[in-house]
Amino acid sequence: MSDHTADGLRRLVAAFLRTHDPSGDRTGFLRARFDAGLAWVHHPPGRGGLGAPPHLQTVVDDAFAEAGAPDNQPRRNSIGLGMAAPTLLRHATEAQCRRWLRPLWTGEEVWCQLFSEPDAGSDLASLRTRAVRDGDDWVVDGQKVWTSLAHEARWAILLARTDPAAPKHHGMTYFVCDMTAPGVRVRPLRQATGEAEFNEVFLTGARVPDAHRIGEVGHGWQVARTTLMNERVAIGGRPLPREGGMVGVLARLWRERPDLRTGGLHTQVLRAWVRAEAARLAALRLRQLIAAGQPGPEGSAVKLSFAELSQRISGLEVELRGAEGLRHDDWTMRRPSAPDLLGRTATYRYLRARGNSIEGGTSEILRTIIAERVLGLPAEPRVDR
């Protein structure tokens, strides 16, 4: 049995590195790391882990980083790592986990999320994309929107309606869709930043094998809730050092450009810094809670705080810079894997932050979740139940 302590895991990493050259073949190294249980140490053996406590993951990651080992480029496959993997681990069959988890973790297969629709964004359960059983397959027709990474993804987590006569939360089923299959078309959505980070996806007679169904037919909402709770943590609960992220850009600007300072802005910058530090510590506490189990509705509060802070801080930076803050660096049409919030201009950060209160659940929906599930306030009247 493995020694599930920090020192025990460091010894396992050291033994692994003695037989696997971190400067050699990148993919081969990452595959071997997964097979050794040193990918997600809290996963069961055979699924990239050792059954160790989740908080020991950082011990393993730090040991590999110190050795100069390659990582799995998590920003390139953020949806797969942050949303698909936890859902598969909890709801997929053993065969499905064997097929998808290793290439997901190594980055050989990128994932995207086919949830939101033009008429079902904030109210996801009212989606209209249909999946009709045809022998061993499901035939899917519909449209999805705001799909990050669809232009690079091999697989997608897909929520579709399989019983239109059932109440809307009970008539959906959760699938894994092959983005290279016939009938799947991806079209870029150009944003205010000039880039097309998002996409819309059209499904026209796309066939999904029943073997790619996750969970029982009609139980898609229960599976999707696992995805959504992890999504909010993935967006708003990333581990950051003090002054990490956009507040660090604002703080450095304040220190390095005294010519831009005013008394009124000093108070606003200080308040933003304090709120960012409080949000960082709250996210750290949430990640410690997650180490003891699945994320709960508390992730909604962290994501809501992240969205509001991003917009406040980016607005303050533009205001502090004055006329120079209105100058955008490049309107070239690109299709990036992820936003470059720290490497671009203040205008880019300001424009991109507008989407933070929409993606991963709108701020309005998150406030309702916090009110009902965290604070225990009476539920809003609903006419659709």
Side-chain angles (χ1 to χ4, degrees):
M1 180 178 292
S2 299
D3 182 0
H4 293 165
T5 64
D7 288 340
L9 289 176
R10 290 190 189 97
R11 287 193 291 271
L12 284 177
V13 173
F16 179 88
L17 291 170
R18 284 194 291 271
T19 56
H20 298 84
D21 182 6
S23 64
D25 175 58
R26 176 190 183 88
T27 301
F29 182 90
L30 291 173
R31 287 175 178 172
R33 179 178 164 181
F34 182 95
D35 293 342
L38 297 171
W40 290 298
V41 296
H42 62 287
H43 281 206
R47 298 187 183 185
L50 300 167
H55 71 271
L56 293 177
Q57 183 67 49
T58 56
V59 173
V60 172
D61 291 341
D62 290 348
F64 277 109
E66 290 169 6
D71 65 13
N72 57 354
Q73 298 177 318
R75 281 175 57 83
R76 182 174 173 267
N77 199 14
S78 56
I79 293 171
L81 294 166
M83 304 170 210
T87 305
L88 292 173
L89 180 65
R90 186 170 182 182
H91 298 282
T93 65
E94 183 63 35
Q96 290 169 335
C97 287
R98 283 199 305 270
R99 167 59 187 88
W100 285 314
L101 283 179
R102 188 172 83 162
L104 185 160
W105 187 84
T106 62
E108 295 171 81
E109 294 178 344
V110 173
W111 288 61
C112 67
Q113 179 187 32
L114 298 179
F115 276 26
S116 294
E117 298 184 5
D119 295 321
S122 298
D123 186 12
L124 176 61
S126 64
L127 61 83
R128 298 180 182 178
T129 294
R130 290 286 306 277
V132 178
R133 187 70 181 261
D134 181 23
D136 291 333
D137 294 339
W138 294 82
V139 180
V140 183
D141 290 278
Q143 181 186 355
K144 299 292 183 175
V145 76
W146 314 125
T147 309
S148 302
L149 294 169
H151 55 293
E152 299 182 0
R154 167 64 198 281
W155 299 104
I157 45 179
L158 165 68
L159 197 59
R161 188 159 302 285
T162 50
D163 185 359
K168 67 180 188 179
H169 287 85
H170 300 281
M172 295 177 289
T173 303
Y174 196 109
F175 300 96
V176 171
C177 175
D178 185 347
M179 293 296 290
T180 67
V184 179
R185 182 165 64 94
V186 178
R187 189 166 72 181
L189 282 174
R190 196 172 189 190
Q191 301 152 238
T193 59
E195 297 179 338
E197 177 194 333
F198 299 115
N199 305 272
E200 52 186 349
V201 178
F202 298 88
L203 302 155
T204 308
R207 303 187 76 88
V208 177
D210 186 60
H212 290 185
R213 171 173 47 82
I214 307 298
E216 298 299 322
V217 174
H219 290 190
W221 184 250
Q222 290 87 334
V223 182
R225 287 183 63 181
T226 299
T227 304
L228 295 172
M229 287 189 293
N230 281 280
E231 178 182 34
R232 288 156 193 164
V233 174
I235 292 175
R238 297 187 183 99
L240 290 172
R242 176 174 287 185
E243 291 194 4
M246 286 202 290
V247 74
V249 176
L250 181 64
R252 285 191 297 274
L253 178 65
W254 182 266
R255 296 186 182 109
E256 296 169 3
R257 293 288 303 275
D259 56 303
L260 300 177
R261 300 175 190 168
T262 68
L265 283 175
H266 178 267
T267 300
Q268 294 185 57
V269 170
L270 183 59
R271 285 176 176 168
W273 191 96
V274 171
R275 289 175 180 173
E277 180 63 8
R280 184 185 74 85
L281 294 174
L284 177 62
R285 179 177 181 273
L286 176 62
R287 298 186 75 84
Q288 292 171 341
L289 291 174
I290 293 172
Q294 287 291 322
E298 297 83 3
S300 297
V302 170
K303 194 271 173 181
L304 174 64
S305 177
F306 162 80
E308 293 192 340
L309 269 170
S310 294
Q311 293 176 356
R312 180 185 297 271
I313 290 168
S314 62
L316 274 173
E317 183 189 2
V318 170
E319 185 176 357
L320 183 60
R321 289 183 181 275
E324 72 176 70
L326 301 177
R327 189 167 55 242
H328 192 33
D329 57 342
D330 192 356
W331 290 95
T332 303
M333 164 68 168
R334 298 188 183 92
R335 303 183 75 182
S337 301
D340 184 11
L341 292 175
L342 303 184
R344 300 286 297 277
T345 61
T347 307
Y348 175 89
R349 284 186 281 275
Y350 177 82
L351 293 172
R352 180 58 183 85
R354 301 307 97 189
N356 292 153
S357 54
I358 302 172
E359 59 193 349
T362 66
S363 293
E364 293 77 11
I365 292 295
L366 297 182
R367 287 189 178 94
T368 299
I369 293 172
I370 294 166
E372 295 179 4
R373 301 183 193 171
V374 179
L375 301 179
L377 298 179
E380 287 188 346
R382 289 181 170 87
V383 298
D384 57 351
R385 288 187 174 181

